[in-house]
Amino acid sequence: MKGVIMNKILSVTGLLMFHASTCFAQEAYDLGEIYVSAGLQDININQTGSSVKVLQSDELKTHVFDAVNILDSQSGIAMSSSGGVGSQTGIRLRGLSQSYVAVRVDGVDISDPTGTQNSYDFGGIMPSGFDQIEILKGSQSAIYGSEAIGGVINFKTSTPKKIGKKTDTNVTLGSNNTLAANFKYTQTQELGSYAVSISNMSTDGFSAKSDNDEADPYSKTEIRFVLDQSINEQLILGATALYSDEAIDYDGFNHETDHIDRTRSAGSMYASFDSGSITNKITRSFSKTDRYDLNGWNKSFIGNRDVWNYTGQTILNGANVTFGYEESTEEANIDGQTKDYKETALVSEILYTLGKSSDISLAARQTSSENYGDDTTFRVAAINRHEGELTSRLVLSSGFRAPSLYELFDSYYGNSTFTPETSLNAEIGFEKKLNESSNVSATIFNNTVDNLIEFNNDTFVYEQNNGSTETSGLEFSSNMRLSNTINLNANYTYTTSETGNVKAVRVPKHDLVLQVESQLSEKFSSLASLRVARDIEDTVWPSNVKMPNYEVLDLSFTYDINGKSSAYLQVQNVADEKYETIKGYNTGGRQFFAGIRASF
């Protein structure tokens, strides 16, 4: 089936390349527009057929030190945490777990290769210092490779929108002796920009598990740097860097002494240069996760990733064509035992504009590895702008998840004959702009993952069979300007996700978030956010159990001091609702946070 689809895509690709007549020229970025990483080249959000939600700096300020809440409020996303800030936190994107969600920070893959499955722990990630968070939904493996079956989360430190210098600072104090602070400096000129962000937080926390009252503290320091500079008309150089240091207490087998120290370092360098009609870009990126678990069965976990990437971009018969090659190496060192593998990939994407109303993207990736074989993925994404401010999107894409180093090489639990899991994703979406400040959107989606690698609770080893996970549903969002002083935002997701006849855990069947923004006076504003989750299950070995439904209300208030600085108060879980997102783990109850932020 997939071979037939690929042949059709290649046929369409040929027609576009040799019979197109409308020019799709790449122009210099308009600093006032939003560009997203939805393809091999960044693209204007209004020209991509992919489902993309963009959170910008003003929205991120509502959750100063904890990105989990702001992600959890988006349609299609359900977050679950094994305790407070910094505890192990996972994401479910359209019903698929974090092992199917790729994560990038400033373009670098920072997932941990030493895990049982490659995934990113969202515990402790702070939105402060980021200009933009992109949520790409649906299979994106043709662009991002493995783990992108469910989607991609991109965190971006700098997305320059105005030439000049800017300093952003904030300090937050709150419940459980929480202290969080961020300093960010950005300078943007006509020929380039750079930004540096420094964040720090510490908290005494609360007991992660509900069977004890011993608090689990957490602390983190993170530094990020981003640089882009035009050397001349033909050459642009850039670099990124990240370093973070965390101390995490958690509740495992010995809740009084369970502790993890974790450091992350990551970075990239790139050169973009013109050679005739082709714009070339060479990128080298790396990441390292060093984790020490004091009471773990294994204690030392060191994961490394090294990626080389080349892309070339040109205009061919009116189409914007990108092609490239990628080579990546992953290494896992667990208590001195090292395993690694290398994979290579050929990638291509064609962007084509049909007049002023439609854009289409055709992308394909051929990935090869001596360890787990080959896989071919594709993505077709189309957008059409209709009359009456109506936009429609259509996506058909495939994806894959390569077996992790642990699944391949662990001497007892793994199996070196495992091959990639594969997926097929389809979705159709509509967005209607009602006026300058109001719109509604809806997306129907279906994603099926085959060739599953699963842990067998009877044999206690990983096995691969012909089982499938199917997730489908509806996402609905609306932003309504009710008056000059009140905005109403709603995000609703209906999701069914099952492996065979077993329901996926930690995925609400009905997930609703209502937010009311009120401008109470010239200087005083408020935000009320209500989350309603229904029909959830979790695993209590060896089977699923029903989780209680819950409703959680958060409030925040902001006072504008002088146009450059403001004070704020946030109350999480106003009604002190007793609920869990993971069976047996606390969510903290009612908490208060207050602070001040300034931009100049």
Side-chain angles (χ1 to χ4, degrees):
M1 176 65 180
K2 290 183 179 178
V4 173
I5 294 173
M6 281 301 301
N7 288 335
K8 290 182 178 179
I9 291 173
L10 292 174
S11 298
V12 174
T13 299
L15 288 174
L16 287 175
M17 291 177 65
F18 292 106
H19 296 286
S21 59
T22 304
C23 182
F24 189 91
Q26 181 172 332
E27 299 177 352
Y29 287 174
D30 182 338
L31 295 180
E33 296 183 339
I34 298 175
Y35 282 78
V36 294
S37 302
L40 295 178
Q41 301 286 335
D42 281 0
I43 187 172
N44 189 301
I45 193 171
N46 296 316
Q47 291 180 300
T48 178
S50 290
S51 294
V52 185
K53 173 64 179 179
V54 176
L55 304 172
Q56 295 186 280
S57 55
D58 287 345
E59 297 173 88
L60 302 179
K61 289 177 182 177
T62 61
H63 298 281
V64 176
F65 63 89
D66 183 5
V68 173
N69 280 342
I70 194 168
L71 289 173
D72 205 22
S73 67
Q74 307 306 310
S75 62
I77 290 182
M79 307 295 293
S80 55
S81 299
S82 57
V85 176
S87 64
Q88 188 171 26
T89 301
I91 188 173
R92 299 297 192 275
L93 183 50
R94 289 183 172 175
L96 295 174
S97 71
Q98 60 265 31
S99 59
Y100 298 111
V101 180
V103 177
R104 303 290 187 270
V105 174
D106 294 323
V108 181
D109 184 349
I110 58 171
S111 61
D112 186 355
T114 68
T116 54
Q117 296 174 325
N118 282 3
S119 63
Y120 177 71
D121 180 4
F122 284 83
I125 189 165
M126 296 176 282
S128 296
F130 287 113
D131 273 357
Q132 188 164 295
I133 300 177
E134 302 168 359
I135 305 167
L136 281 68
K137 303 174 185 177
S139 293
Q140 307 288 336
S141 289
I143 305 299
Y144 285 91
S146 182
E147 284 91 55
I149 282 179
V152 181
I153 310 292
N154 285 316
F155 296 87
K156 294 186 175 182
T157 299
S158 181
T159 55
K161 295 177 177 63
K162 186 177 180 181
I163 292 176
K165 303 175 182 179
K166 185 180 181 183
T167 301
D168 295 289
T169 62
N170 64 64
V171 177
T172 302
L173 300 170
S175 297
N176 306 313
N177 287 326
T178 298
L179 171 62
N182 173 260
F183 170 86
K184 181 181 178 182
Y185 178 79
T186 305
Q187 181 169 330
T188 303
Q189 300 173 329
E190 291 185 3
L191 297 179
S193 67
Y194 71 89
V196 59
S197 174
I198 303 172
S199 299
N200 180 267
M201 80 159 301
S202 63
T203 179
D204 289 348
F206 50 84
S207 177
K209 292 192 73 173
S210 53
D211 60 4
N212 68 82
D213 57 5
E214 172 262 342
D216 293 303
Y218 171 76
S219 64
K220 178 180 183 178
T221 299
E222 180 169 282
I223 303 171
R224 298 191 307 275
F225 176 76
V226 180
L227 169 69
D228 295 279
Q229 183 66 43
S230 295
I231 305 303
N232 52 47
E233 293 183 358
Q234 283 77 39
L235 177 62
I236 301 174
L237 300 179
T240 71
L242 176 150
Y243 176 80
S244 67
D245 185 17
E246 298 170 276
I248 309 161
D249 276 22
Y250 69 100
D251 284 346
F253 294 107
N254 188 344
H255 66 264
E256 293 183 352
T257 58
D258 286 327
H259 179 86
I260 291 175
D261 290 309
R262 179 171 62 193
T263 61
R264 285 192 180 105
S265 55
S268 66
M269 299 173 289
Y270 81 85
S272 177
F273 56 94
D274 293 336
S275 59
S277 61
I278 298 177
T279 299
N280 308 275
K281 186 176 183 180
I282 299 175
T283 305
R284 188 256 172 141
S285 63
F286 71 91
S287 63
K288 178 180 180 179
T289 303
D290 190 338
R291 176 166 50 99
Y292 187 83
D293 189 341
L294 181 65
N295 290 328
W297 179 263
N298 297 111
K299 298 184 182 301
S300 175
F301 301 82
I302 303 173
N304 288 282
R305 181 179 291 104
D306 200 332
V307 181
W308 286 91
N309 177 280
Y310 164 79
T311 58
Q313 182 271 328
T314 189
I315 305 298
L316 183 60
N317 292 325
N320 187 318
V321 179
T322 304
F323 52 91
Y325 172 81
E326 184 174 282
E327 183 176 294
S328 63
T329 301
E330 288 189 357
E331 178 186 272
N333 182 320
I334 301 177
D335 286 342
Q337 299 296 312
T338 300
K339 300 295 182 181
D340 60 55
Y341 66 62
K342 179 186 290 185
E343 67 178 35
T344 60
L346 296 173
V347 297
S348 62
E349 183 181 25
I350 298 174
L351 302 173
Y352 183 71
T353 295
L354 301 170
K356 295 182 179 180
S357 62
S358 301
D359 296 278
I360 186 169
S361 162
L362 306 175
R365 172 184 287 256
Q366 173 68 41
T367 305
S368 300
S369 169
E370 293 181 357
N371 300 97
Y372 60 76
D374 300 341
D375 198 87
T376 301
T377 52
F378 71 90
R379 188 190 70 182
V380 181
I383 181 172
N384 192 63
R385 294 170 288 276
H386 307 272
E387 293 183 359
E389 300 287 354
L390 176 66
T391 301
S392 61
R393 290 180 167 87
L394 178 66
V395 179
L396 180 66
S397 58
S398 65
F400 80 101
R401 185 187 76 84
S404 67
L405 288 165
Y406 188 92
E407 291 169 326
L408 284 173
F409 299 124
D410 183 84
S411 59
Y412 181 78
Y413 299 101
N415 189 324
S416 61
T417 66
F418 285 161
T419 59
E421 298 181 353
T422 59
S423 73
L424 186 63
N425 170 78
E427 60 187 87
I428 183 170
F430 299 91
E431 181 175 354
K432 171 68 174 178
K433 186 175 181 180
L434 304 177
N435 53 50
E436 288 300 318
S437 53
S438 300
N439 63 78
V440 295
S441 64
T443 301
I444 300 171
F445 61 88
N446 179 274
N447 201 341
T448 301
V449 186
D450 296 317
N451 207 29
L452 299 180
I453 301 172
E454 298 180 287
F455 188 77
N456 188 317
N457 289 318
D458 296 322
T459 62
F460 299 103
V461 296
Y462 282 95
E463 297 177 352
Q464 186 162 37
N465 52 54
N466 294 322
S468 298
T469 293
E470 182 173 4
T471 176
S472 59
L474 166 69
E475 296 170 351
F476 174 82
S477 297
S478 67
N479 302 292
M480 308 294 291
R481 182 82 168 174
L482 301 182
S483 71
N484 291 334
T485 58
I486 298 177
N487 287 344
L488 173 63
N489 303 321
N491 290 318
Y492 169 74
T493 309
Y494 171 83
T495 308
T496 61
S497 183
E498 295 180 338
T499 300
N501 60 357
V502 179
K503 178 180 170 61
V505 299
R506 303 170 192 170
V507 180
K509 189 172 185 178
H510 302 278
D511 193 356
L512 172 66
V513 177
L514 293 174
Q515 295 182 323
V516 179
E517 301 174 82
S518 302
Q519 191 66 43
L520 303 176
S521 68
E522 183 179 352
K523 291 180 173 293
F524 193 51
S525 61
S526 67
L527 173 66
S529 179
L530 175 67
R531 169 109 190 262
V532 180
R534 294 285 185 269
D535 195 357
I536 317 165
E537 294 184 7
D538 202 357
T539 298
V540 176
W541 191 86
S543 59
N544 285 6
V545 296
K546 281 276 190 180
M547 295 278 284
N549 300 325
Y550 60 85
E551 306 85 25
V552 179
L553 175 65
D554 297 335
L555 293 176
S556 66
F557 302 91
T558 303
Y559 180 76
D560 185 5
I561 298 173
N562 57 17
K564 293 185 178 181
S565 59
S566 58
Y568 51 87
L569 170 67
Q570 298 176 357
V571 187
Q572 294 184 1
N573 195 356
V574 174
D576 200 22
E577 175 86 357
K578 304 301 181 185
Y579 73 102
E580 297 174 344
T581 57
I582 297 179
K583 185 67 175 177
Y585 288 87
N586 288 319
T587 50
R590 185 188 299 115
Q591 299 177 75
F592 297 86
F593 303 95
I596 188 168
R597 55 177 169 252
S599 298
F600 48 90

